[in-house]
Structure formats: structure tokens, C-alpha cells
Amino acid sequence: MGISYNGVRSELFGLAFRTGLLTVVTLGIYRFWQKTRIRKYIWSSVNAGGDTFEYTGTGLEKLLGFLVAVVFLAVYLGIIQIALFYFGLNIMVDPEEASQAQIIGQVAAIYISFFAVLPFLLFAVYRARRYKMARTRFRGIRCGMEKGAWGYVLRALGYMALQVVTLGVLTPLQTFRLEKYQADRSFYGSQRMVQTGKWTDLYRYMKHIFIGLGLLVLAAVSAVMELYVLAGVAGAVGYVWVIVGAVHYGVQSFGYLMRHKTLGEVGFTAEPATGQVIKTYILGGLLLGVLASVIFGMVGAVVAAFAPMLVEGELPIAFFALLGVAYIVALVMIQALSLVLITQPILAHYISTIRVTNPQALNRIAQREAETGVDAEGFADALDIGGAI
Amino acid sequence: MQEAGAHFYDGLTAGRHEVRVALSGDRQALQITGETLPEPLRWPLQDLRALTDTSDSGRLTLTRLAETEDESPRDPARLVVLDPALIAWLRRTRPALFRTDLRKGTFRTVAKYAGGAVGAAALMLFVILPALANTMAAIIPVEREVAFGKTVTAQMERFLGGSRLGSLRCDNPAGEAALDAMLRRLTAGREMTYEVELQVFDHPMINAFAAPGGQVVIIRGLLDAAEGPDQVAGVLAHEIAHVESRDATRHALRAAGSAGILTMLIGDFTGAAAVAVMGEQVLSSAYSRKAEAAADVFALEMLAEARVSAEGFAAFFDHIDDLERVEIPEYLASHPVTAERAAAARDFAAGQEATRPVLNAAEWQALQRICD
């Protein structure tokens, strides 16, 4: 059973643009409804065997979840940040006598507050996925995910520490185990999902990262040997190779992990193409850049036209207010464009390469209980993670 | 309406039921029949709801208004209509099709949660963080505060265009002597917690600021704008007052705590940065108005003890007020000039007796040329 993505560029753009303006007008409050409506559109665009997915979340529960998270995070963040700042002050050194290293150290101490938030960022990542699962339905049957956010936080922190110690050599282990932790807690109706496969299999997708790193090492070695042309070429090629290699790893490890998920007797195939994803990034990015410069160019042209009056101070405040509005409208437009030029096509590509094997087994899957999570994905909203959708 | 085919999902299993949909005999409900359904279903028309914001206009997914445990009051069963005539008929005759139904007490719940969140944030921003900042500012060792203040001053110097540490500092010896004389005159016989380290930065901005730990900086523009040494003395006394009450340290601590809360409350929608900056402005002005008033009182006392007329302080406010407001946004932003402040200084000056200028004419001239 094939899966297709049928979202239309102009419709999604219209929805994102209109809800974006509403968000600005309501000073950000409408953003919960904005995200919900965009998700409803995207979910409903995914068609598997003639049935579309359904997103049942509501903006209201997202707002309430956000308010719950705010109460907690306001207290935690406020106190942690002021305490860390105080700690930072206590290792302050005199800039007239301090070495560069000491100054860097104290700046780092002040910005270390990021690490105080890190556990909550990870917590929010799991909760957001769980919320999205709980609000996804297919053929009237709910998806779902078991509780386990703190277990995820501990594991994610552990693998991060391991990554630092081993300089990233164990990336596949981290990718695989964290995905398995989440997938194994996921359900479609009564049927539990299982992540099979081996983490060492993911190494083959790191090939291009290693080639890129090899080129960078070559560049460093030739620089030491004063072969500057070779160093420059190897450095530039290696740099691009590493970036492309990282995208390749992301795309192909997704494909591998998808192919090795099972829902009882139901299986999946997935063949996402790295080239297609990179092409979308480049073409979409270029088009976005061109459109953005056109939009801002128009705003700029208006300013330039009125510039002589500006110098003479004849322009009323209303002009500046209008200019501010034009600027914000332009920003909202660019956000909506990036959604339809980059996010949606990449999503569409991933989804359309997935096939469901043995779909008849789905018919026997039964409903699961409704889940009324009180904080929805409030932590993710409060901490600003989760991206466009 | 014509009878039409549709897919039905009963909300119990994922299996699809091929069904026929027709209007019931009393024209009050949809009659759903299918071979795989144990018995025909009756969905009252007034309870019909459809999914919103969907992408496929050739498909209408119907559900029913029902009191359930779900996130919305909806029956889990779904009736997927693909027949264009039936979709058109439903859209035409059912105005409530895309309605959002709220449960009873929703508004009370939202109000309760919003009240709780706003209350918690306000408690943090206006009570707990200022109290913590006060306590911490009081227990931080003075030498740490001095080090912090020097870092802040160095950053300010870089911000104003200084290429390296001390490159903006004005060091004409006669000017420095005059500055020192003014400082000694104001602080003579006073028990000071901090040793005030006073310098002038060569920049046209009209401003003066006190960094933590006794670092006080006057910017050259202020010396140019002042019409006499007493005016500068008034400003200096005000900044010394900030130093002695540790306002800068307290402010920095409080801002460190509130920055995270503010960004979190506002989120990252378009234009959020502007709102966040405005919020921080409002917050710090609400918080610092008291500190400014206290610093004024302290400054006036200091002027009185040093036998310097507060008339200069008052005149400086008037003078600043006369300048084009757009030319000096910096000073106004941190030191709101109000008629009350000038009047208070003038009233105070009227009660002063036997004052003499803080610097003589030669010293004042030297101070004005400190950057030459």
C-alpha cells in the first residue's frame, strides 16, 4: 500500500500566511491555533491507501499546556538563571589583568544556563512527539505513545556525554537507541510498534561524513607541509562533503529506521533519496532568497521614495507605523514561503517513498483509550522547539 | 438529496465499512447502512460535524457532536464522503458543519490557567527575582563586583567604538585633577563602601553611567552640554548614589533572571523580538523608577553636605529638556527627565545656604578640555 502526499502549495501558503498575520495581531497568542491548523492541513494531505490521516489536537489545549509549562519554567528558569549569573559573577576577573582564557571562562560561566535548560529541552522533545502521536488518527483509530519522557532525558544526556568523550564516533548508536526508545513506546491503536535492526548498520550511511573528514585532515596535513593550493581545495571540498554527508546520514538513517519498524504483521519500506532532499534545500532556498529580496526590495523602495521627506523630518509617525507593519507582513510572508518551498516538499518526499507491506493486517487493529494530557506539548512551546510544524 | 456511497470507520477497529448514506424518512438524520454493519446507523443532522482545514476538497470527513473523553466533544467514528453531490448538499444545508464546540466551563478553565500563569510570572518578575537580586547584590564580595564593573565598562567602551581597553579614556592631567577635585569635594567625610573610579570617555553622547563596584563613567558629550561645574556635580552625585546603593549590580542580576522568563512568555513568533525588548524596557523602568528617585534624594543630600548648590542639578534637567529630544535619546532612556525631578532639586536648592561652586573657573575649563 503506497502513501502519497497531496498538499497544495498555494493552499498551505494561504493558511500559513493568514494564521501568521492573526498571530502577529494577537501578540503571539494565536500561534497555538496557527500550528494546530497547519498540522491539520498537513496530516490531512497524507493519503495511505485512500484514507487520510487526521490531526485532532486543538489550539486551546496547546494554550493551556503552555500556561502550565510557564508556571513551572518561570520559577525554574528565573531562579536557575539568576543563580548561575551570580556564580558567574563570583568567578569574575579584572579585565585589565585577566588573560584571554579567563575572560572566555567567565563568559562561558554566564552562558552555561543553557545546560540548565537542556534536560527540559529533551523532556519537551519526547512530550511533543507523544502529544503529536496522541492526536493523530488514521481510519478513526488513535495513535499513541507511552509515558517515558524522563527515561528519554536520561538516555539522551548519557548518549550526549558519550558523544563528547568519543568525538562523535558512536553517532549511529545514539541515533538508533534513542529512536528505538521512542518507537518501541509508540502504538497504532492496540498494536505496539517495534523498532528492529542493528545500530551498527547505520555506519554505512556515515561513509560520506568520513570521506569529508578525511579531506579535511588532508587539508590540515598539506597546510602543515606548506602545500597551500592542495590545502585550500581539499579544505573547501571536504567542508561541503561533510555537510552533504550529514544530510545523507540524516535522510538514509531515517529510511533505515522506517524500514525496520513493524506494527505487528504490518511492515514498511522507505527509500528516501538524499539527492532529492538536497535539491529541495538548494532550489527552495534559492527561490526563497529571490522572493525574500523581492519582498524586502519593495519595502525598501517605498522607504527610498520617501527618503527626501525623511531627511527634512516631514513624515508623520503614521508612516513609520505603516513601515513597521509592512516589515512584519513581509516576515510572515517569508515564513509561510519557507514552509511551502522547503518544509512541505521535503516532507512530501519522505512520505511518498514509504510503502506499507501487508496492510490487510491493519484491519484487525482495535481502538485505544483517549488520552487527555494536561500539558499537551506546553514545554516544547514554552522552550520554542519543534520548528515549523 | 440522493443516496450515496461512503466509507465508514466505526471508531472501534481500523477496518473499513463500505456503506450507503441516505436521508432518513423524517428528514432529520443521515441513515447509514452497510452489509458489514450489525445494524443501520442514524446520525442526526444537527449533530453532524466535519474535519476542518483539510487539504482534499473532494473529501469530507464527517463525525458527530458527542460528549466523550476526547480532546474535542466528538464521536470517534468517521464517515468519509467522496460523493461530490452529497458534499455539496452538506455544505449547503448544514451551517454548523465546521463549528468548533467548546465544553461547558472552558472559559473558566482558560481564565484560571491564564491567571495562574500570569500570577506566577508576575510573582517571579516583581517579587522573587528583585528580592533575590537584592540579597545577592548584598552578599557578593566587593572585589568581584569591581571586576564585574570593569568588564561592563570595558564592554561599554567597545560599544562606543573604542578599539582597545582604555583607548577612549580622556587623560588630560589638568582635567583629571579637576575631576578628582570634584569627586573629593562630593565624597569628603563620607563613609563609602566603594572606592569610586571615575573616568571620562571621548564620545559625543550626552550620558553618564554607574557600573557595578564603583565604576562611574561620564561621557564627553555631557561635559560639552553642561553649562557649569555644578551641573556636572549634580549628575556625578546621582551616579555615586547608584554606586553606593549597588543599583547596577542588582539590575544586572534581576535582568539575568527575567530575560529567560520574558522570552519564554512571548515565544518566537514574527515581531516577538520587538515585543521582548519593549517588555524588558517596561520592566526595568518600573523597577528602576524607585531606584532613580532614591538616587536623587541621596544625590541632593550629598550636594548639601558638600555645600554645592543643587540649583545646577535642577538647571541641568531644564537644559536637557530644552535640547532637541531626539538628539539625546540615550540619557532620556535611562534617566527620565521629569518636571518633578527638576522641581524637587530646585525646592531643595532654595533651602540651601552658603554654597560655593564645586570647581573654580580654571578647573572647570580644564575639565571641559579633559579629552583634548
Side-chain angles (χ1 to χ4, degrees):
Chain A
M1 179 172 84
I3 303 187
S4 62
Y5 183 87
N6 306 314
V8 180
R9 209 166 262 183
S10 57
E11 287 178 5
L12 182 62
F13 176 79
L15 180 65
F17 184 59
R18 270 181 286 125
T19 52
L21 291 181
L22 275 171
T23 300
V24 173
V25 169
T26 56
L27 295 179
I29 293 174
Y30 196 76
R31 67 182 186 272
F32 307 105
W33 283 267
Q34 175 183 30
K35 213 169 221 185
T36 300
R37 294 184 63 183
I38 288 175
R39 280 182 191 167
K40 277 181 193 282
Y41 184 85
I42 288 175
W43 263 239
S44 75
S45 303
V46 181
N47 187 316
D51 295 303
T52 55
F53 278 75
E54 177 184 346
Y55 180 75
T56 59
T58 67
L60 190 69
E61 67 178 355
K62 267 173 80 72
L63 170 68
L64 293 182
F66 169 75
L67 293 173
V68 171
V70 158
V71 172
F72 180 80
L73 287 172
V75 175
Y76 178 80
L77 279 182
I79 289 178
I80 286 287
Q81 294 213 353
I82 202 171
L84 282 169
F85 187 72
Y86 178 75
F87 166 73
L89 284 188
N90 272 308
I91 60 162
M92 259 301 165
V93 282
D94 195 323
E96 282 163 25
E97 298 150 18
S99 66
Q100 198 66 32
Q102 277 175 307
I103 291 177
I104 292 171
Q106 81 193 14
V107 170
I110 288 177
Y111 291 104
I112 207 166
S113 54
F114 170 73
F115 290 100
V117 194
L118 188 57
F120 290 100
L121 285 175
L122 295 166
F123 178 82
V125 165
Y126 188 93
R127 290 299 285 249
R129 179 155 161 173
R130 179 162 172 247
Y131 172 70
K132 275 183 271 192
M133 286 296 282
R135 295 295 177 260
T136 299
R137 292 189 202 185
F138 179 65
R139 297 182 172 179
I141 299 298
R142 298 180 188 93
C143 294
M145 200 164 160
E146 288 175 337
K147 288 180 181 161
W150 286 115
Y152 178 78
V153 172
L154 285 179
R155 282 166 183 79
L157 287 174
Y159 287 118
M160 270 182 203
L162 195 65
Q163 284 283 63
V164 171
V165 174
T166 60
L167 300 175
V169 171
L170 292 176
T171 301
L173 180 70
Q174 182 190 35
T175 312
F176 183 82
R177 288 281 170 77
L178 289 181
E179 178 56 30
K180 183 168 170 61
Y181 182 85
Q182 296 178 85
D184 287 355
R185 281 163 181 73
S186 302
F187 287 82
Y188 172 58
S190 50
Q191 183 61 56
R192 184 188 287 273
M193 185 173 265
V194 176
Q195 178 71 59
T196 64
K198 286 204 306 287
W199 67 274
T200 46
D201 286 351
L202 293 180
Y203 271 112
R204 73 181 81 134
Y205 307 122
M206 284 187 82
K207 180 175 69 187
H208 291 292
I209 298 182
F210 288 130
I211 293 175
L213 289 176
L215 284 169
L216 289 180
V217 170
L218 176 68
V221 170
S222 22
V224 169
M225 291 166 68
E226 301 189 356
L227 298 165
Y228 292 117
V229 175
L230 180 61
V233 171
V237 174
Y239 182 69
V240 174
W241 209 302
V242 168
I243 292 175
V244 171
V247 174
H248 178 73
Y249 176 73
V251 174
Q252 295 308 322
S253 60
F254 168 82
Y256 176 88
L257 291 165
M258 193 69 221
R259 287 193 293 277
H260 288 83
K261 283 183 171 71
T262 59
L263 262 175
E265 294 154 39
V266 180
F268 304 91
T269 66
E271 303 295 339
T274 308
Q276 181 68 31
V277 172
I278 289 176
K279 201 174 89 189
T280 311
Y281 272 127
I282 292 176
L283 290 182
L286 281 178
L287 193 54
L288 184 64
V290 169
L291 289 172
S293 41
V294 168
I295 294 166
F296 280 116
M298 291 194 307
V299 177
V302 172
V303 177
F306 285 92
M309 293 172 73
L310 193 70
V311 175
E312 287 156 29
E314 284 172 355
L315 288 176
I317 282 291
F319 174 77
F320 294 99
L322 209 65
L323 205 62
V325 170
Y327 177 72
I328 286 179
V329 169
L331 277 182
V332 171
M333 198 178 276
I334 284 163
Q335 269 179 356
L337 280 174
S338 118
L339 184 66
V340 298
L341 292 178
I342 298 175
T343 314
Q344 178 169 261
I346 287 181
L347 200 66
H349 173 68
Y350 274 115
I351 288 170
S352 56
T353 70
I354 299 174
R355 293 187 65 81
V356 181
T357 54
N358 192 22
Q360 300 79 8
L362 287 174
N363 294 339
R364 293 190 291 277
I365 290 174
Q367 184 65 292
R368 61 185 282 107
E369 293 266 305
E371 214 160 316
T372 45
V374 71
D375 74 332
E377 53 182 344
F379 279 87
D381 285 326
L383 295 169
D384 276 344
I385 54 171
I389 51 166
Chain B
M1 64 163 274
Q2 291 283 315
E3 189 182 280
H7 306 319
F8 181 74
Y9 296 100
D10 60 10
L12 301 172
T13 68
R16 180 192 284 183
H17 300 270
E18 297 298 344
V19 294
R20 305 292 303 167
V21 181
L23 200 58
S24 66
D26 58 5
R27 305 185 66 82
Q28 296 297 310
L30 287 186
Q31 190 85 28
I32 304 165
T33 50
E35 285 171 24
T36 50
L37 290 183
E39 56 185 42
L41 294 167
R42 185 186 152 85
W43 279 19
L45 291 180
Q46 83 238 20
D47 291 348
L48 289 184
R49 296 290 184 273
L51 302 189
T52 55
D53 290 315
T54 54
S55 78
D56 188 353
S57 55
R59 169 192 300 262
L60 191 72
T61 305
L62 291 176
T63 173
R64 276 192 317 158
L65 173 65
E67 207 32 69
T68 55
E69 291 295 299
D70 268 323
E71 49 275 15
S72 310
R74 295 281 184 272
D75 189 311
R78 296 288 184 266
L79 182 67
V80 182
V81 182
L82 297 166
D83 182 80
L86 180 54
I87 293 176
W89 182 81
L90 284 163
R91 282 178 177 274
R92 198 174 62 242
T93 60
R94 306 308 324 158
L97 203 57
F98 296 105
R99 181 189 287 167
T100 306
D101 300 281
L102 294 178
R103 292 202 169 89
K104 228 164 73 188
T106 298
F107 286 106
R108 203 177 330 131
T109 312
V110 173
K112 209 165 66 188
Y113 278 57
V118 169
L123 190 70
M124 280 307 290
L125 290 173
F126 297 110
V127 181
I128 297 177
L129 288 180
L132 269 175
N134 281 351
T135 316
M136 286 173 166
I139 58 173
I140 192 166
V142 171
E143 63 270 22
R144 293 293 154 221
E145 228 181 319
V146 173
F148 176 46
K150 284 186 175 168
T151 311
V152 172
T153 318
Q155 274 172 0
M156 191 69 191
E157 192 171 1
R158 213 162 302 139
F159 173 72
L160 292 177
S163 49
R164 59 190 167 75
L165 203 63
S167 61
L168 282 188
R169 185 174 183 151
C170 299
D171 53 1
N172 180 302
E176 283 196 317
L179 200 62
D180 194 45
M182 183 186 284
L183 180 61
R184 262 184 291 122
R185 172 85 182 272
L186 287 174
T187 55
R190 263 187 180 271
E191 192 75 32
M192 299 281 290
T193 322
Y194 297 92
E195 196 185 325
V196 174
E197 203 172 301
L198 182 57
Q199 51 182 328
V200 176
F201 279 173
D202 189 7
H203 190 276
M205 186 193 274
I206 302 179
N207 208 349
F209 66 90
Q215 303 290 316
V216 176
V217 176
I218 296 176
I219 314 230
R220 198 242 305 150
L222 190 134
L223 293 180
D224 297 345
E227 288 173 323
D230 285 5
Q231 297 192 359
V232 178
V235 173
L236 181 57
H238 178 89
E239 297 304 329
I240 293 173
H242 279 314
V243 165
E244 282 298 288
S245 53
R246 305 181 150 199
D247 284 333
T249 312
R250 218 177 307 169
H251 188 85
L253 280 163
R254 187 199 54 78
S258 60
I261 298 181
L262 275 179
T263 24
M264 181 183 71
L265 283 177
I266 291 157
D268 74 338
F269 73 99
T270 311
V275 180
V277 168
M278 252 151 54
E280 176 55 33
Q281 282 283 335
V282 169
L283 202 62
S284 52
S285 70
Y287 184 69
S288 64
R289 199 162 297 136
K290 255 204 305 209
E292 290 298 322
D296 274 358
V297 170
F298 187 102
L300 290 174
E301 262 171 43
M302 189 180 260
L303 290 172
E305 258 177 62
R307 302 215 166 269
V308 176
S309 170
E311 188 61 44
F313 197 29
F316 182 72
F317 285 135
D318 293 341
H319 182 53
I320 283 279
D321 219 15
D322 287 344
L323 291 170
E324 271 292 328
R325 273 174 179 269
V326 280
E327 282 177 28
I328 46 158
E330 310 87 10
Y331 194 85
L332 287 176
S334 49
H335 302 84
V337 175
T338 62
E340 294 94 75
R341 285 181 72 190
R346 190 152 284 126
D347 283 354
F348 190 88
Q352 275 182 294
E353 42 194 73
T355 58
R356 59 192 170 83
V358 67
L359 296 180
N360 61 35
E363 285 173 318
W364 171 234
Q365 227 168 22
L367 179 56
Q368 284 195 297
R369 291 200 192 123
I370 190 169
C371 295
D372 293 350

